[in-house]
Amino acid sequence: MDKKEYIIRQLGRTKNKRYESYVVTRIVHLLNDFSIKFVTQQYVSRPEGRALTDLFFPQFGIHIEVDEGQHFTCAAIKEDKVREADIVNATGHEIIRVDVTKSFEKINSKIDEIVEKLKVLRCNEQFSAWDIDSEFDPQTYIQRGYIDIVDHVAFKTIKDACNCFGHNYSGYQRAGATHPNPHIMLWFPKLFPNGEWDNQISNDEKTIIERNMNDIKAREHIFSHLNDKEKHKHQRIVFAKVRDNLGDTLYRFRGLYSLDVQKSNENTGLVWKRTKTKVNTYPQPKN
């Protein structure tokens, strides 16, 4: 998918929401700068579920919310404040609201203010232009030396994620792979019931529970990890299989998780706690 296809598909997601569509498309067209990435209807993790913001600029950590009439009831105002606080606390991002119940002139004035703010941020020397090809290229992260959750890193295939950690795969389909550190493995789970597995991730993404739905297999799997005295199976770098907001399958980086031995048992399953949101990458060994 090239930038043209990406942009058309993102803007198409707002077509059934008139005011949201107007605000989003006006901001994008006035920016007229496709080195700036934008995401429409962006999911954000919260302690009690997930939030959906109308427009997100990942390079700046800025979300735009379009507030229509239903946002101004007492209950909605209170709910929006809690929701906004959750997003800010979880991400450190900024939220800018556009009140579309106001006059057309005031709506456009607010949009102009947002566009100007984004253009100023664009001029920062630390700004990194959006490159849709390098975004999914393992070499980008090998050269950088790390993968950080704040960069919203995801790969199109399992082998691309593996190749960030010293591998040179041309294809790979397994749910686990080795890491240069023998105490760490790479894991590519489906974090929802699938086949014989029922893996779940908490709303804040800090905890993963892994369990086979077959009690006998679950018991064997759980105790093989709990009885691993060398702790070779106690840390995992997770790239969860997801569908992005355009419906494409990706393997999204969630962080480094460590086994919580105290909370893991045959009833609950294996409990994994996130311990790092940034991990080192490794070049392929030279022959």
Side-chain angles (χ1 to χ4, degrees):
M1 180 169 56
D2 59 15
K3 277 191 179 181
K4 179 180 74 172
E5 180 68 14
Y6 176 91
I7 290 164
I8 295 300
R9 288 174 68 185
Q10 285 290 349
L11 292 177
R13 288 168 57 78
T14 68
K15 65 182 180 181
N16 294 322
K17 298 181 178 181
R18 293 178 299 165
Y19 286 101
E20 182 181 323
S21 179
Y22 177 77
V23 172
V24 168
T25 55
R26 185 171 175 84
I27 289 173
V28 171
H29 291 318
L30 287 175
L31 273 175
N32 193 29
D33 186 342
F34 299 116
S35 67
I36 299 174
K37 182 179 180 179
F38 68 92
V39 183
T40 58
Q41 299 176 24
Q42 170 69 36
Y43 277 105
V44 182
S45 297
R46 301 173 61 195
E48 301 298 331
R50 294 185 176 185
L52 189 67
T53 60
D54 297 323
L55 181 62
F56 176 49
F57 293 94
Q59 290 144 303
F60 308 129
I62 291 177
H63 298 261
I64 310 300
E65 288 280 64
V66 180
D67 290 342
E68 299 185 37
Q70 68 270 19
H71 285 268
F72 297 101
T73 66
C74 290
I77 290 171
K78 183 177 180 180
E79 184 179 338
D80 280 347
K81 285 182 178 179
V82 173
R83 177 173 169 274
E84 185 168 321
D86 282 348
I87 294 172
V88 172
N89 290 335
T91 64
H93 295 167
E94 179 182 358
I95 297 175
I96 302 174
R97 313 194 79 90
V98 180
D99 181 355
V100 294
T101 66
K102 293 185 176 180
S103 69
F104 196 51
E105 291 74 19
K106 287 184 178 179
I107 294 171
N108 285 342
S109 177
K110 185 63 178 180
I111 290 173
D112 290 342
E113 179 185 315
I114 291 169
V115 170
E116 183 59 29
K117 180 183 180 74
L118 295 172
K119 286 182 175 180
V120 169
L121 292 171
R122 168 68 176 81
C123 293
N124 189 306
E125 62 182 16
Q126 295 181 339
F127 174 79
S128 180
W130 174 37
D131 183 333
I132 197 168
D133 294 320
S134 65
E135 183 177 3
F136 298 104
D137 187 348
Q139 285 302 319
T140 299
Y141 305 98
I142 293 171
Q143 292 170 10
R144 184 182 295 175
Y146 65 87
I147 293 176
D148 194 323
I149 202 168
V150 300
D151 296 322
H152 309 280
V153 179
F155 294 100
K156 295 178 181 179
T157 65
I158 290 175
K159 62 99 174 171
D160 288 335
C162 289
N163 289 347
C164 290
F165 301 92
H167 293 289
N168 187 24
Y169 292 137
S170 58
Y172 194 86
Q173 291 298 321
R174 297 179 184 176
T178 60
H179 183 275
N181 182 337
H183 294 282
I184 300 174
M185 70 173 288
L186 307 177
W187 188 29
F188 307 93
K190 298 175 182 177
L191 297 177
F192 48 85
N194 64 95
E196 62 180 23
W197 292 94
D198 182 9
N199 302 326
Q200 302 290 335
I201 190 168
S202 62
N203 289 326
D204 61 8
E205 300 183 353
K206 293 181 180 179
T207 303
I208 294 174
I209 296 177
E210 175 193 13
R211 195 180 192 282
N212 194 296
M213 288 188 278
N214 180 298
D215 289 341
I216 295 174
K217 290 183 179 180
R219 191 176 300 111
E220 291 174 353
H221 181 71
I222 290 162
F223 284 109
S224 73
H225 284 71
L226 296 181
N227 295 331
D228 177 15
K229 298 187 185 303
E230 298 298 322
K231 299 183 178 180
H232 286 158
K233 301 177 180 179
H234 284 202
Q235 293 187 84
R236 294 179 177 181
I237 294 174
V238 175
F239 291 86
K241 185 176 182 177
V242 299
R243 290 212 180 261
D244 69 3
N245 70 345
L246 295 176
D248 298 322
T249 298
L250 296 174
Y251 295 88
R252 187 167 299 284
F253 175 65
R254 298 299 192 197
L256 174 69
Y257 290 74
S258 298
L259 183 64
D260 189 327
V261 175
Q262 299 301 318
K263 292 186 177 180
S264 298
N265 57 63
E266 60 181 293
N267 293 319
T268 303
L270 294 175
V271 179
W272 300 91
K273 295 287 187 178
R274 187 163 66 191
T275 52
K276 291 184 179 180
T277 56
K278 182 178 179 180
V279 298
N280 292 333
T281 55
Y282 296 81
Q284 297 157 11
K286 295 181 179 179
N287 295 329

